């Protein structure tokens, strides 16, 4: 009765034209004592955006909002800069409520249970404005199949970051780019417990392995994901950037392929309404799971949807796309051929996987699998720094700090005087087509290395060891090596003196500057 009375009182205070046919309304208020409940002394906050994933309204002078009560959906607040949400019992920020008046379809992992339609008040607390850069931590595809894999995620990714943070937040904001799990949605709670150790506000993108595969429609395919993580399409604002999270997995049960990259009409409505509120010089960060570029020879993201999205983004001067899904590391620059009409190419960072090669390969001394990706990149995570002027810097971090920006592969021994047809390879994890990579041998002159579209030879060696072994070297073998987009080669001389020779490689990272590594090979004399 008390909830009903409060709803009626709230609706009585709203303008008649704003009253919904039900209690899909509430107040956004300043939670001064941090208890998550509104007290009489806690004022409403005007001008805050509230959405149902399609429509957006702005709170009035007293912090009140209302939306039409049409079907079941998730209503959420778009966090304004200078504010923070409280955390729920799972450690995730509480910025959404489900509106589910009728039972949804019966799903294996539960979906969203029906509940009475109630008024929703959202607490926000003021935080000191951050004047410097914003640090974003990005995990793509943690993708555990089992509780054992969740343990790898915690020991390989989360634990070392927590240790390095020494009781502080790991970053200002965190983001998982989909495939939070690998089909088993019952693992969500254990994944959330692990991620909450980072003490960082964490957002989640939906991936193709986060679907309710027994759902009959795309609209119902993320009900269990939404129960745990809230809206699948939303925005979040910080002083340095506006972040837009998009579910771009279109579920097509009974068709082949069963899913494709794309966006729904409701998402375009949300994007149009939200982007209209943003200044044209604002840094916009779009986060999704499936990359916006197509794979060679096939459409993996619907072209018409990509063109509509790019048309909405074209007026903005500073846009960055973050995606996952591929379990490789790629930098892509969109241009007119893909529908981008901006003045500069549109940068998409396709982030490597936290699980790498699906938690595969032989175990190391710590009992954690090798799990490098098919392009040879070791598993790990990315960070992005966003400056107040809209600039940004990206960096890849190898899990547990077991490496830096590149690795090298070279033979151990060559015959002195042999034809110089054998090379040293440099896999530069953040490399792009125009990245400058050079090498020198035995302290000689620096020479350019040539970018090659080949498999990483270090991973290829592991594949051959798997082939030759009569016993399994790991629970699952490493993925087969595929052509890398960031591999360089330099020819090794054989006309040097007999003995050991140092090979030094330097690459010029767009954001970090010069990064180096080295390896040695030996020249031996063989009698004719």
């Amino acid at each position: 009765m008390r909830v009903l009375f409060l709803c009626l009182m709230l609706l009585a205070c709203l303008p008649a034209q704003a009253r919904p046919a039900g209690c899909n309304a509430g107040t956004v208020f300043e939670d001064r004592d941090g208890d998550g409940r509104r007290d009489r002394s806690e004022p409403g906050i005007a001008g805050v955006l509230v959405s149902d994933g399609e429509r957006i309204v702005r709170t009035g002078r007293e912090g009140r909002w209302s939306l039409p009560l049409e079907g079941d959906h998730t209503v959420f607040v778009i966090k304004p800069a200078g504010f923070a949400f409280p955390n729920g019992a799972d450690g995730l920020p509480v910025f959404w409520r489900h509106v589910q008046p009728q039972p949804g379809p019966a799903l294996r992992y539960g979906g969203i249970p029906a509940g009475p339609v109630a008024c929703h008040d959202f607490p926000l607390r003021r935080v000191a404005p951050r004047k410097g850069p914003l640090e974003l931590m990005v995990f793509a595809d943690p993708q555990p199949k089992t509780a054992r894999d969740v343990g790898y995620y915690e020991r390989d990714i989360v634990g070392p970051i927590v240790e390095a943070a020494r009781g502080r937040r790991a970053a200002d904001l965190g983001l998982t780019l989909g495939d939070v799990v690998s089909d088993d949605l019952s693992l969500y709670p254990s994944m959330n417990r692990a991620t909450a150790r980072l003490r960082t506000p964490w957002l989640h993108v939906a991936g193709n392995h986060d679907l309710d595969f027994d759902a009959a429609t795309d609209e119902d395919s993320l009900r269990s994901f939404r129960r745990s993580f809230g809206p699948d399409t939303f925005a979040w604002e910080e002083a340095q950037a506006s972040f837009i999270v998009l579910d771009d997995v279109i579920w097509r049960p009974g068709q082949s392929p069963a899913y494709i990259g794309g966006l729904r009409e409701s998402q375009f409505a949300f994007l149009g309404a939200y982007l209209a509120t943003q200044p044209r010089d604002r840094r916009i960060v779009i986060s999704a799971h499936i990359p916006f570029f197509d794979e060679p020879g096939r459409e993996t993201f619907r072209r018409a949807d990509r063109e509509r999205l790019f048309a909405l983004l074209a007026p903005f001067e500073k846009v960055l796309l973050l995606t996952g899904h591929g379990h490789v590391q790629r930098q892509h620059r969109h241009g007119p051929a893909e529908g981008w009409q901006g003045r500069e190419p549109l940068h998409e960072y396709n982030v490597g996987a936290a699980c790498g090669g699906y938690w595969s390969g032989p175990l190391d001394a710590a009992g954690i699998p090798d799990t490098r990706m098919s392009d040879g990149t070791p598993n790990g995570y990315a960070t992005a720094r966003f400056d107040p002027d809209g600039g940004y810097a990206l960096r890849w971090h190898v899990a547990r700090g077991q490496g830096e920006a590149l690795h090298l592969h070279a033979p151990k021994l060559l015959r002195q005087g042999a034809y110089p047809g054998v090379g040293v390879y440099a896999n530069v994890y953040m490399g792009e087509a125009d990245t400058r990579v050079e090498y020198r041998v035995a302290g000689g002159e620096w020479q350019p290395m040539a970018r090659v579209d080949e498999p990483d030879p270090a991973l290829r060696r592991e594949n051959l060891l798997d082939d030759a072994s009569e016993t399994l070297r790991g629970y699952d073998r490493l993925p087969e090596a595929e052509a890398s987009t960031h591999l360089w080669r330099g020819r090794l001389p054989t006309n040097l003196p007999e003995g050991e020779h140092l090979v030094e490689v330097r690459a010029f990272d767009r954001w970090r500057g010069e990064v180096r590594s080295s390896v040695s090979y030996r020249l031996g004399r063989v009698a004719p």
Side-chain angles (χ1 to χ4, degrees):
M1 288 298 292
R2 182 173 180 271
V3 171
L4 178 60
F5 175 77
L6 289 174
C7 288
L8 292 174
M9 289 295 292
L10 173 64
L11 292 173
C13 296
L14 293 173
Q17 63 271 22
R19 296 177 190 174
C23 198
N24 195 21
T27 301
V28 178
F29 68 94
E30 184 179 349
D31 187 18
R32 290 176 173 174
D33 59 8
D35 66 356
R37 299 187 300 273
R38 190 183 185 193
D39 303 325
R40 289 185 178 182
S41 61
E42 295 177 324
I45 305 174
V48 178
L49 300 178
V50 183
S51 177
D52 59 4
E54 180 173 2
R55 292 162 287 244
I56 297 177
V57 296
R58 194 180 292 273
T59 57
R61 188 170 53 188
E62 303 298 326
R64 294 175 181 140
W65 63 272
S66 67
L67 282 161
L69 182 61
E70 296 177 0
D72 47 294
H73 58 274
T74 301
V75 64
F76 58 91
V77 171
I78 296 174
K79 190 195 78 65
F83 289 89
F85 293 109
N87 288 337
D90 57 4
L92 301 180
V94 178
F95 65 99
W96 48 270
R97 303 285 192 277
H98 294 309
V99 179
Q100 182 73 40
Q102 301 297 327
L107 298 170
R108 176 184 179 186
Y109 291 105
I112 300 172
V117 178
C119 300
H120 298 312
D121 288 349
F122 289 99
L124 280 172
R125 58 182 177 83
R126 295 186 186 274
V127 293
R130 187 177 183 85
K131 297 180 180 179
L134 176 88
E135 294 290 337
L136 173 71
M137 186 168 285
V138 185
F139 297 170
D141 304 79
Q143 207 163 334
K145 302 178 292 295
T146 62
R148 179 194 62 240
D149 290 352
V150 175
Y152 292 149
Y153 169 72
E154 186 156 16
R155 293 167 55 212
D156 195 35
I157 302 292
V158 174
I161 299 173
V162 171
E163 184 176 353
R166 297 182 179 179
R168 302 185 302 271
R169 276 186 173 183
D172 299 309
L173 184 64
L175 175 68
T176 295
L177 289 172
D179 287 357
V180 183
V181 297
S182 185
D183 302 343
D184 185 354
L185 309 190
S186 70
L187 296 175
Y188 282 154
S190 57
M191 285 295 288
N192 287 343
R193 283 192 294 272
T195 305
R197 293 181 59 201
L198 298 168
R199 302 181 63 182
T200 297
W202 209 272
L203 312 179
H204 291 81
V205 177
N208 57 289
H209 286 283
D210 295 313
L211 303 178
D212 286 299
F213 290 110
D214 49 347
T217 65
D218 179 55
E219 289 75 16
D220 289 331
S221 64
L222 286 176
R223 285 181 172 271
S224 297
F225 173 90
R226 285 169 49 210
R227 187 183 73 240
S228 291
F229 302 112
D232 56 61
T233 295
F234 62 94
W236 179 287
E237 295 179 0
E238 300 290 349
Q240 301 82 355
S242 294
F243 298 89
I244 302 174
V245 168
L246 297 174
D247 160 36
D248 70 343
V249 182
I250 303 296
W251 172 235
R252 309 189 303 178
Q255 300 184 49
S256 181
Y259 65 88
I260 191 170
L263 298 173
R264 303 181 299 273
E265 285 299 323
S266 60
Q267 293 174 292
F268 282 114
F270 173 80
L271 281 165
Y274 179 66
L275 291 173
T277 70
Q278 299 297 292
R280 292 297 183 255
D281 62 350
R282 176 78 163 153
R283 167 60 63 187
I284 303 294
V285 182
I286 303 290
S287 303
H289 180 64
I290 295 178
F292 295 104
F293 54 82
D294 286 329
E295 297 294 343
R298 61 193 179 100
E299 183 184 56
T300 50
F301 194 95
R302 296 191 300 209
R303 182 178 182 88
D305 290 357
R306 180 171 60 239
E307 291 178 348
R308 286 181 68 182
L309 172 63
F310 286 0
L312 288 169
L313 295 172
F316 293 89
E317 303 170 7
K318 303 167 185 174
V319 182
L320 174 66
L321 309 178
L322 298 174
T323 55
H325 185 57
H327 294 252
V328 293
Q329 180 109 282
R330 288 178 285 196
Q331 311 286 343
H332 189 87
R333 305 277 172 170
H334 292 274
E338 293 162 297
W340 175 249
Q341 303 300 330
R343 289 186 299 177
E344 301 291 334
L346 174 58
H347 182 199
E348 177 173 349
Y349 176 26
N350 187 216
V351 183
C355 76
Y358 310 91
W359 301 116
S360 65
L363 303 181
D364 64 11
I368 296 175
D370 179 316
T371 202
R372 72 189 83 176
M373 295 172 241
S374 61
D375 65 350
T377 306
N379 77 305
Y381 62 95
T383 54
R385 187 191 72 233
F386 296 97
D387 298 323
D389 63 0
Y392 67 95
L394 304 173
R395 182 168 178 168
W396 179 250
H397 302 259
V398 177
R400 288 180 285 157
Q402 297 194 117
E404 267 300 312
L406 70 161
H407 71 251
L408 307 180
H409 178 85
K412 295 184 181 299
L413 174 67
L414 293 174
R415 180 178 66 82
Q416 185 188 40
Y419 177 76
V422 178
V424 56
Y425 287 83
N427 192 324
V428 184
Y429 310 139
M430 293 294 288
E432 300 190 53
D434 62 352
T435 298
R436 179 176 147 211
V437 183
E438 299 173 337
Y439 78 120
R440 67 179 179 185
V441 180
E445 295 294 320
W446 288 103
Q447 306 173 61
M449 300 182 77
R451 194 173 74 84
V452 292
D453 292 318
E454 298 178 19
D456 181 288
L459 177 56
R460 183 65 183 141
R461 178 187 61 202
E462 295 298 318
N463 292 157
L464 293 174
L465 288 172
D466 279 334
D467 289 346
S469 177
E470 294 186 359
T471 59
L472 292 174
R473 299 173 64 226
Y475 181 77
D476 283 321
R477 57 181 286 162
L478 286 165
E480 290 191 355
E482 298 179 355
S484 171
T485 60
H486 42 80
L487 189 68
W488 280 260
R489 182 183 186 276
R491 184 174 292 185
L492 290 174
T494 58
N495 59 353
L496 298 174
E498 186 178 356
E500 197 88 4
H501 298 285
L502 180 68
V503 183
E504 299 170 88
V505 174
R506 65 183 184 185
F508 294 86
D509 185 283
R510 186 181 297 272
W511 298 283
R512 292 176 59 183
E514 183 178 327
V515 293
R516 291 195 180 202
S517 189
S518 62
V519 68
S520 294
Y521 74 108
R522 188 163 58 88
L523 289 175
R525 184 177 298 176
V526 179

